[in-house]
Amino acid sequence: MFHRVALVTGASRGIGREIALTLCRSNFDIVVASPEIENNEAVAETIRQCGGDAMTLNLDVSSEESVKSGVAAALKQMGRIDVLVNNAGITRDGLAMRMKAADWNLVLQINLTGAFLVSQAVIPAMIKERWGRIVNIASVVGEMGNAGQANYVASKSGLIGLTKCLAKELASRNITVNAIAPGFIETDMTGVLPQEVKDQMMATIPLKRFGKPSDIANAVKFLASEDANYITGSVLRVNGGMYM
Ligand code: NAP
């Protein structure tokens, strides 16, 4: 059976891990790409147990060299990359007035420049196949803004802008590019927030529950499928109604 190949950045944990496992259940082979060897290997092993092919890549999306050599290695081993999910992301929160330039730069470098670099490295292979899907994991705050997250919000708003530019540049090559803007999803990233902040968030969510990584993974599965072949340049909000 023909399997498409999906490369998922930040696939070792949280939303990225769930995306990798969900795509695997839809008959994708997966490149599990994040900086830590052992974490990648554990996810890859789970994928193999459910019958898919998986390759691990120790990829730091913020390093041009790591991205170039990593994507080349993935193409060599898997033969193709049909779907790219730019999911890797970090936070370094603080009020803008006091934010260190290093924290600003690091968040922009990983969340935005990282997505640009991996996309740039993968696009030639997609053009060759005349088929491709890029799904960028943005955030609800990229559209809303959020006090204390100037770096993160700028990176996610930038990612939405990048999504629209790539969608226009690549449409003629049958490559679609979309963003998903998750609301509050239960992962390590949000697990560290104080209960008071979580309670305030919950009060703003009409569906009255936090999202699960599977809520995002199912949206990625849809955008990566043939069913989504007329959707490009869009931002799919998966946020329980938190922002409409
Ligand atoms: P998470 O649990 O903190 O996982 C982050 C992932 O990114 C990990 O796999 C991590 O790898 C990887 N990563 C970090 N730096 C990297 C780098 N330089 N290169 C490659 N991979 C790197 O986060 P999450 O909650 O699953 O979030 C996933 C994405 O969803 C992020 O882009 C985040 O901004 C977005 N998002 C999350 C929420 C939410 O509520 N959780 C809401 C909106 C958007 P290691 O395991 O090696 O650290």
Side-chain angles (χ1 to χ4, degrees), residues 203-241:
T204 68
I205 303 172
L207 283 179
K208 289 293 163 228
R209 70 166 177 87
F210 293 138
K212 295 194 274 299
S214 58
D215 293 316
I216 307 307
N218 288 333
V220 173
K221 182 175 87 172
F222 168 64
L223 288 174
S225 74
E226 293 292 346
D227 291 342
N229 64 19
Y230 200 55
I231 302 176
T232 197
S234 70
V235 181
L236 179 53
R237 295 174 184 151
V238 185
N239 63 23

Side-chain angles (χ1 to χ4, degrees), residues 19-238:
I19 291 169
L21 298 179
T22 299
L23 290 179
C24 159
R25 288 191 288 269
S26 295
N27 294 322
F28 284 85
D29 293 334
I30 311 289
V31 182
V32 180
S34 80
E36 297 294 330
I37 301 185
E38 305 90 64
N39 298 349
N40 286 340
E41 199 41 62
V43 176
E45 195 43 46
T46 310
I47 289 169
R48 290 182 200 114
Q49 278 165 15
C50 79
D53 191 8
M55 167 187 179
T56 58
L57 204 57
N58 302 318
L59 184 79
D60 174 0
V61 297
S62 68
S63 152
E64 203 173 343
E65 207 174 296
S66 171
V67 168
K68 275 189 182 157
S69 61
V71 169
L75 284 168
K76 190 165 177 217
Q77 185 168 325
M78 305 298 270
R80 53 197 299 130
I81 296 171
D82 304 286
V83 175
L84 166 63
V85 185
N86 283 310
N87 164 79
I90 63 160
T91 52
R92 289 290 183 277
D93 296 349
L95 290 176
M97 196 171 66
R98 287 196 288 269
M99 186 174 285
K100 293 193 173 66
D103 286 338
W104 171 271
N105 288 333
L106 184 66
V107 169
L108 266 291
Q109 185 67 24
I110 291 177
N111 297 8
L112 180 56
T113 307
F116 165 71
L117 291 174
V118 185
S119 300
Q120 198 180 44
V122 164
I123 285 165
M126 290 181 173
I127 288 179
K128 216 169 108 198
E129 297 292 336
R130 295 197 67 79
W131 197 97
R133 297 273 194 267
I134 299 176
V135 182
N136 294 322
I137 306 301
S139 170
V140 63
V141 298
E143 294 192 289
M144 287 172 67
N146 197 21
Q149 289 198 303
N151 47 2
Y152 184 78
V153 168
S155 75
K156 295 301 187 179
S157 301
L159 192 54
I160 290 171
L162 175 66
T163 301
K164 293 177 183 178
C165 292
L166 290 181
K168 289 193 173 186
E169 290 186 14
L170 299 171
S172 64
R173 312 303 184 108
N174 198 28
I175 298 167
T176 67
V177 188
N178 292 288
I180 291 174
F184 187 107
I185 310 298
E186 285 174 331
T187 67
D188 295 346
M189 184 178 271
T190 47
V192 296
L193 294 172
Q195 190 57 42
E196 193 192 328
V197 174
K198 290 185 189 171
D199 293 345
Q200 283 166 7
M201 292 271 187
M202 184 64 91
T204 68
I205 303 172
L207 283 179
K208 289 293 163 228
R209 70 166 177 87
F210 293 138
K212 295 194 274 299
S214 58
D215 293 316
I216 307 307
N218 288 333
V220 173
K221 182 175 87 172
F222 168 64
L223 288 174
S225 74
E226 293 292 346
D227 291 342
N229 64 19
Y230 200 55
I231 302 176
T232 197
S234 70
V235 181
L236 179 53
R237 295 174 184 151
V238 185

